[in-house]
Amino acid sequence: MSKPLDYENLNENVKKCQYAVRGELYLRASELQKEGKKIIFTNVGNPHALGQKPLTFPRQVIALCQAPFLLDDPNVGLIFPADAIARAKQFLAMTSGGLGAYSDSRGIPGVRKEVAEFIERRDGYPSDPELIFLTDGASKGVMQILNSVIRGPSDGILVPVPQYPLYSASIQLLGGSLVPYFLEETANWGLDINDLRQSVAQARFKGITVRAMVIINPGNPTGQCLSVANLKQIIQFCHQENLVLLGDEVYQQNIYQDERPFISARKVLLDMGPPISKELQLVSFHTVSKGYWGECGQRGGYFEMTNIPPKAVEEIYKVASISLSPNVPGQIFMGLMVNPPKPGDISYDQYVRESKGILESLRRRAHMMTDGFNSCRNVVCAMYSFPQIRLPPRAIEAANKLGKAPDVLYCLRLLEATGISTVPGSDIELDYHGDEDATDPGEKIVNPPWYVVGRVFTDKFINPKSLSDAMGKAWRLGEGMAVRELENNVFIF
């Protein structure tokens, strides 16, 4: 007799749900790791796992909050700076019993106030702490809002392609319909409003009611920043089509070009003035997991609601209350991110030195990886080094025979040959791209062998006859060991 949790009896939405960054490539990489093979996980932004050092000040504050008895030690001032001690006491006073106690389901009021002040400094407009919910990372906030928007399979969510798989997976899990709109690679991953209109028209023809539009700004995995003009077009479009705009802005610190700064959707909306600034519904997301913090494991995030009516806010609050409380240490990290040391504070100089060093390293690494990919044959290469790889007919034919997408086969062979774990573009709704995270800053990423192995593998995979040239170049770079290992493992068509 079949049982409720046998595979065939599971919720169909669970079985349909696919999450590429933890999909086939990741599972195979985990198997290889268990077998003793050294694996470089570039499939997801996880900076500390690849060597990024945590910022000192927030770790000092959280250490004191986690072990408040240290504050009673007469020698505490010999180990911790005075401003860290003061902030720890401030945060502990905001809680109802320290970090081990539940907070309000929206998060600690004092931390939400700090987030509101950060948003006001950034955008130039006041923010209401009552409309800010602290969450276990931005992902949990995204799922909370999608859960409120999606009523059934006939409800559609506009999602950019390429996209971060959180959206496709969550929409599938919640039983909604993903409505793709395509970014234009040749226009720096820009957005054409006419394409948006076409996507909505096609969805309506299929009986789908489009209810929300997701923007990822800066782009993930594409890395671009939306211009003010583009944001205005998007806002006007959502207003005309009666859509709620969901602004995924978690990478706002990861800007690796000087041409176009990050500008929030909220600022552009409020700059536009009434009536649209009073009518368009907007939810914006941020996190401590990205930027120069990279505190992925702490699970701190928030979303802010604009022009959401009070009764709807109450319902979202009710659903948040089912989980009782977002994790409290993550909330403290969020408070520290939005309200870091200020000029004149004891820890200010060290904080600035550390954060600038990380950002400069990330920027340098992103350019290095992009340049490296562009040096490969048949590869055109964003923040996430999102290269397009032009595979030859024989590679595509071999993939078809194995029942795999061509870029999936490429990424699997890359993994087997080099230990580099990536995400194929077809898993994020785009053909023949590979996604490698340039936000991971550890030495494992910047080592010359990694660059050489990746280039030699790509040259050999695409055109085996080019191996001698590529190997000669690699040998001249002094990376013979990496090339010898690769020569024995690469799949050749």
Side-chain angles (χ1 to χ4, degrees):
M1 184 177 71
S2 66
K3 298 178 181 179
L5 281 180
D6 288 349
Y7 175 80
E8 59 272 16
N9 293 327
L10 293 178
N11 182 333
E12 284 301 316
N13 290 335
V14 172
K15 291 191 279 187
K16 290 176 185 175
C17 175
Q18 300 292 327
Y19 190 54
V21 298
R22 289 286 192 266
E24 179 183 6
L25 268 295
Y26 175 80
L27 295 175
R28 179 59 182 146
S30 298
E31 289 176 2
L32 292 171
Q33 191 176 49
K34 289 176 183 177
E35 294 170 7
K37 189 174 181 67
K38 183 179 179 182
I39 302 297
I40 301 174
F41 287 97
T42 71
N43 57 300
V44 66
N46 194 15
H48 291 193
L50 288 174
Q52 179 173 310
K53 297 294 187 290
L55 296 169
T56 302
F57 181 76
R59 288 301 183 97
Q60 290 173 328
V61 174
I62 206 74
L64 290 166
C65 289
Q66 289 280 20
F69 54 83
L70 293 175
L71 293 168
D72 299 325
D73 191 305
N75 295 317
V76 66
L78 300 177
I79 303 172
F80 295 92
D83 50 356
I85 294 170
R87 288 299 298 279
K89 290 179 177 179
Q90 178 189 21
F91 282 123
L92 288 170
M94 293 179 185
T95 70
S96 58
L99 270 58
Y102 289 131
S103 75
D104 184 276
S105 298
R106 293 166 297 181
I108 299 169
V111 175
R112 287 189 282 123
K113 182 174 181 291
E114 288 184 308
V115 172
E117 290 167 350
F118 158 77
I119 293 170
E120 180 174 359
R121 290 193 303 272
R122 185 194 67 189
D123 295 342
Y125 295 96
S127 174
D128 184 353
E130 298 300 304
L131 299 176
I132 294 168
F133 282 45
L134 302 181
T135 56
D136 295 338
S139 299
K140 185 60 71 71
V142 167
M143 293 192 69
Q144 281 182 243
I145 296 301
L146 287 175
N147 191 34
S148 300
V149 171
I150 295 171
R151 302 166 300 184
S154 62
D155 282 346
I157 309 295
L158 277 166
V159 177
V161 174
Q163 51 103 15
Y164 179 56
L166 163 69
Y167 293 96
S168 54
S170 299
I171 292 166
Q172 285 176 320
L173 186 61
L174 296 169
S177 295
L178 184 145
V179 180
Y181 67 91
F182 294 87
L183 304 179
E184 180 53 55
E185 183 170 8
T186 57
N188 192 27
W189 300 105
L191 170 63
D192 188 329
I193 292 296
N194 292 325
D195 289 341
L196 264 182
R197 292 195 177 96
Q198 186 176 4
S199 294
V200 171
Q202 290 173 345
R204 286 174 178 162
F205 180 77
K206 297 175 183 176
I208 296 172
T209 301
V210 181
R211 288 173 50 82
M213 176 178 175
V214 174
I215 58 170
I216 306 177
N217 182 40
N220 178 10
T222 54
Q224 90 291 0
C225 286
L226 291 171
S227 67
V228 172
N230 228 179
L231 284 166
K232 284 182 177 179
Q233 287 180 314
I234 291 166
I235 288 167
Q236 289 165 343
F237 174 80
C238 289
H239 187 245
Q240 291 165 1
E241 300 292 341
N242 193 28
L243 309 179
V244 58
L245 179 59
L246 308 182
D248 180 333
E249 299 175 337
V250 302
Y251 282 103
Q252 58 190 264
Q253 293 174 337
N254 293 94
I255 312 299
Y256 304 139
Q257 42 75 31
D258 300 319
E259 294 75 30
R260 187 179 292 170
F262 165 78
I263 299 174
S264 74
R266 178 180 182 271
K267 174 173 174 52
V268 174
L269 171 64
L270 298 180
D271 281 348
M272 292 171 74
I276 196 169
S277 64
K278 299 289 186 182
E279 294 174 356
L280 178 77
Q281 295 185 337
L282 167 68
V283 184
S284 306
F285 305 90
H286 200 9
T287 181
V288 302
S289 298
K290 310 305 176 185
Y292 49 83
W293 283 62
E295 294 281 5
C296 305
Q298 308 295 348
R299 310 313 298 141
Y302 76 77
F303 63 84
E304 182 204 25
M305 297 174 283
T306 303
N307 296 327
I308 310 298
K311 283 191 174 180
V313 174
E314 288 174 9
E315 294 301 306
I316 294 168
Y317 186 15
K318 176 185 71 180
V319 174
S321 299
I322 295 171
S323 300
L324 291 176
S325 164
N327 92 80
V328 177
Q331 296 182 53
I332 302 302
F333 271 98
M334 178 56 71
L336 289 163
M337 187 184 83
V338 298
N339 186 20
K342 298 177 176 59
D345 290 349
I346 295 170
S347 299
Y348 176 75
D349 288 343
Q350 182 182 16
Y351 178 83
V352 170
R353 184 171 63 253
E354 290 176 350
S355 57
K356 285 182 68 174
I358 293 170
L359 279 175
E360 288 169 1
S361 175
L362 291 170
R363 182 184 179 110
R364 183 173 63 252
R365 189 161 292 108
H367 286 290
M368 182 194 72
M369 289 179 68
T370 301
D371 292 344
F373 277 119
N374 284 331
S375 74
C376 295
R377 290 177 176 85
N378 287 21
V379 179
V380 179
C381 189
M383 170 185 71
Y384 267 88
S385 278
F386 191 56
Q388 182 188 79
I389 301 170
R390 300 188 182 100
L391 300 178
R394 290 175 66 189
I396 297 170
E397 181 183 347
N400 291 336
K401 287 179 179 178
L402 292 171
K404 296 187 181 297
D407 56 350
V408 172
L409 180 61
Y410 170 88
C411 290
L412 279 169
R413 297 308 184 193
L414 176 69
L415 171 64
E416 300 278 354
T418 69
I420 301 169
S421 177
T422 60
V423 179
S426 57
D427 279 354
I428 47 180
E429 316 296 334
L430 201 67
D431 290 338
Y432 308 148
H433 283 70
D435 182 5
E436 304 204 7
D437 184 7
T439 65
D440 285 331
E443 289 305 310
K444 295 176 186 176
I445 286 295
V446 299
N447 259 347
W450 178 90
Y451 171 81
V452 173
V453 166
R455 184 176 64 194
V456 174
F457 173 85
T458 300
D459 285 342
K460 187 172 182 181
F461 186 96
I462 290 171
N463 180 12
K465 293 180 180 178
S466 71
L467 180 63
S468 58
D469 292 342
M471 285 186 64
K473 198 176 293 184
W475 280 108
R476 286 195 296 275
L477 288 170
E479 305 301 337
M481 185 179 297
V483 177
R484 281 198 300 274
E485 180 182 347
L486 181 63
E487 186 179 18
N488 294 325
N489 290 288
V490 172
F491 180 88
I492 302 176
F493 296 105

